[in-house]
Amino acid sequence: MIHQKNQITKSPDLSINIGPLRLKNPVLLASGTCGYGAELDGLLDLDLLGGIIVKGISIRPRPGNPPPRLVETPCGLLNSIGLENVGIESFLRDKLPWLRNVKTSLIVNILGNSVEEYSEIAKKLDGAEGVKAIEVNISCPNVKAGGIAFGTDPEAAANVTRAVKKTTGLPVIIKLTPNVTDITKVARKVASAGADAISLINTLLGMAIDIKSRRPALANVFGGLSGPAIKPIALRMVWQVVRAVDIPVIGIGGISTPDDALEFLMAGAKAVEIGTATLVRPGTAEDVPAGIRYYMEANSIQNVEDLRLPDQQTLNPVRYPSFPIEGLPMQPL
Ligand SMILES: Cc1cc2nc3c(=O)[nH]c(=O)nc-3n(C[C@H](O)[C@H](O)[C@H](O)COP(=O)(O)O)c2cc1C
């Protein structure tokens, strides 16, 4: 609800709950674009953020894909890093101690190639001091199902959700892939399988060709597209998922400014993650809570959740003629 200016008595409240997890503001760093936090030390003040989501962790270390594995595109970035990471043991031993000193919520992103692998990592994180939640990347190939990504099969996505929920007491955020026809089907399944929250979107599958060498620009041929180019798609999917499930939704995709973040919060996201923009300018995320606060003050909005648009305001349906006219293309009236 947007209050009248004279009703505001205290400064805006940016704190939010993602299920059982309380965040001081709704701005987080997205997995894979902020390393294990320490890489950004001195480049931005992590303490100003609602949370940090570290690079996806697997059971064993992964070397990732061969280079080239990053290509810039108009308004976007294609990556085929291949989920390179240090593995859970090294993460707990070498990375977590530094992260414990940061005054923001630490969320660990996990990945696996089988339901058992996801459970095993979740179990190792359960009770790890300083870890506040788990974000589950379900864009990974399910080896037992011939390599189909878990996140493109609603049943497989639900199985991962149930298995992770069973092995950890930490809040579980399931991160959806946009590479599906109807994202609400997967969202509903993971919500009913017990997810505490959903985050979306991961990258969109794409490719680029280097016309000089006449080869695909990425050694892996395909990669994931991120950055401003994907923001309208991400926003549309967040809008759909917010209206399909009853659990909190975190919006991700091309967010580079406070205005971008506000769009996602207005679509109904409880929080946002900033990814590629950090690679362009590491301090980007730090400006976003301040920009949201400024907007709330200027518009006399007390609580960040009041930014969400009411559903009826949105739907201005396109009207079609009630009788199709043969041979004529259907035009909105
Ligand atoms: C270089 C790179 C590495 C990424 N690694 C991961 C990862 O390990 N796990 C994951 O869930 N998402 C990963 N992502 C996806 C981002 O977290 C995010 O969902 C996506 O990039 C869309 O947001 P953006 O447009 O703000 O970057 C990665 C993205 C990039 C660009």
Side-chain angles (χ1 to χ4, degrees):
M1 185 202 309
I2 298 185
H3 300 270
Q4 293 303 308
K5 209 159 205 146
N6 58 11
Q7 285 181 280
I8 291 278
T9 50
K10 38 188 187 169
S11 69
D13 182 5
L14 267 72
S15 64
I16 48 136
N17 292 322
I18 301 289
L21 176 68
R22 181 111 187 125
L23 302 181
K24 61 179 155 191
N25 69 57
V27 181
L28 305 112
L29 292 181
S31 178
T33 55
C34 56
Y36 304 102
E39 293 86 338
L40 289 171
D41 198 23
L43 295 172
L44 96 163
D45 186 352
L46 293 171
D47 295 355
L48 295 177
L49 304 178
I52 170 171
I53 307 179
V54 290
K55 176 69 188 165
I57 307 286
S58 48
I59 271 293
R60 275 168 288 283
R62 287 173 63 126
N65 290 326
R69 49 189 200 173
L70 282 176
V71 184
E72 285 188 41
T73 63
C75 294
L77 175 70
L78 272 172
N79 92 80
S80 64
I81 301 293
L83 299 167
E84 174 183 348
N85 76 93
V86 296
I88 186 71
E89 299 303 340
S90 166
F91 173 75
L92 294 172
R93 188 184 59 237
D94 308 324
K95 308 292 180 186
L96 188 54
W98 187 90
L99 284 158
R100 282 194 194 112
N101 296 321
V102 179
K103 292 182 192 65
T104 191
S105 297
L106 168 64
I107 300 174
V108 178
N109 181 288
I110 67 168
L111 63 110
N113 291 121
S114 66
V115 172
E116 295 74 23
E117 276 187 19
Y118 280 104
S119 308
E120 217 179 311
I121 307 169
K123 202 170 186 179
K124 285 184 186 282
L125 286 167
D126 195 40
E129 191 197 328
V131 178
K132 292 286 178 343
I134 293 176
E135 181 181 65
V136 185
N137 176 4
I138 56 168
S139 299
C140 312
N142 178 353
V143 168
K144 286 185 188 159
I148 294 173
F150 287 95
T152 60
D153 172 358
E155 211 49 64
N159 288 342
V160 174
T161 308
R162 268 190 293 272
V164 172
K165 276 297 288 179
K166 215 188 267 174
T167 43
T168 180
L170 289 167
V172 173
I173 304 163
I174 302 291
K175 182 168 178 179
L176 304 186
T177 170
N179 299 311
V180 292
T181 312
D182 181 359
I183 199 157
T184 63
K185 283 193 183 150
V186 190
R188 283 198 190 92
K189 273 281 184 185
V190 301
S192 56
D196 295 290
I198 286 173
S199 60
L200 74 152
I201 60 175
N202 210 315
T203 54
L204 280 147
L205 200 59
M207 77 174 286
I209 292 177
D210 178 349
I211 59 165
K212 289 196 201 87
S213 64
R214 302 191 197 182
R215 299 167 77 98
L218 295 168
N220 193 49
V221 184
F222 300 149
L225 183 65
S226 61
I230 71 169
K231 198 193 89 184
I233 300 168
L235 191 63
R236 181 264 294 176
M237 289 186 163
V238 166
W239 178 280
Q240 289 178 308
V241 170
V242 162
R243 282 148 188 83
V245 298
D246 289 330
I247 55 175
V249 171
I250 304 173
I252 325 165
I255 299 171
S256 320
T257 63
D259 288 8
D260 293 336
L262 283 161
E263 282 192 64
F264 280 85
L265 297 172
M266 287 184 185
K270 285 251 183 173
V272 294
E273 294 179 21
I274 296 180
T276 302
T278 304
L279 304 178
V280 178
R281 189 175 70 84
T284 301
E286 188 174 280
D287 298 341
V288 176
I292 295 170
R293 182 183 298 280
Y294 179 82
Y295 180 91
M296 289 170 68
E297 274 167 1
N299 291 280
S300 305
I301 299 168
Q302 181 69 61
N303 295 307
V304 72
E305 292 181 19
D306 293 339
L307 285 164
R308 178 174 168 170
L309 301 180
D311 288 358
Q312 68 272 19
Q313 196 175 315
T314 60
L315 301 170
N316 182 13
V318 174
R319 289 187 296 121
Y320 291 93
S322 52
F323 54 95
I325 304 165
E326 216 166 296
L328 283 182
M330 295 280 269
Q331 295 290 343
L333 289 177

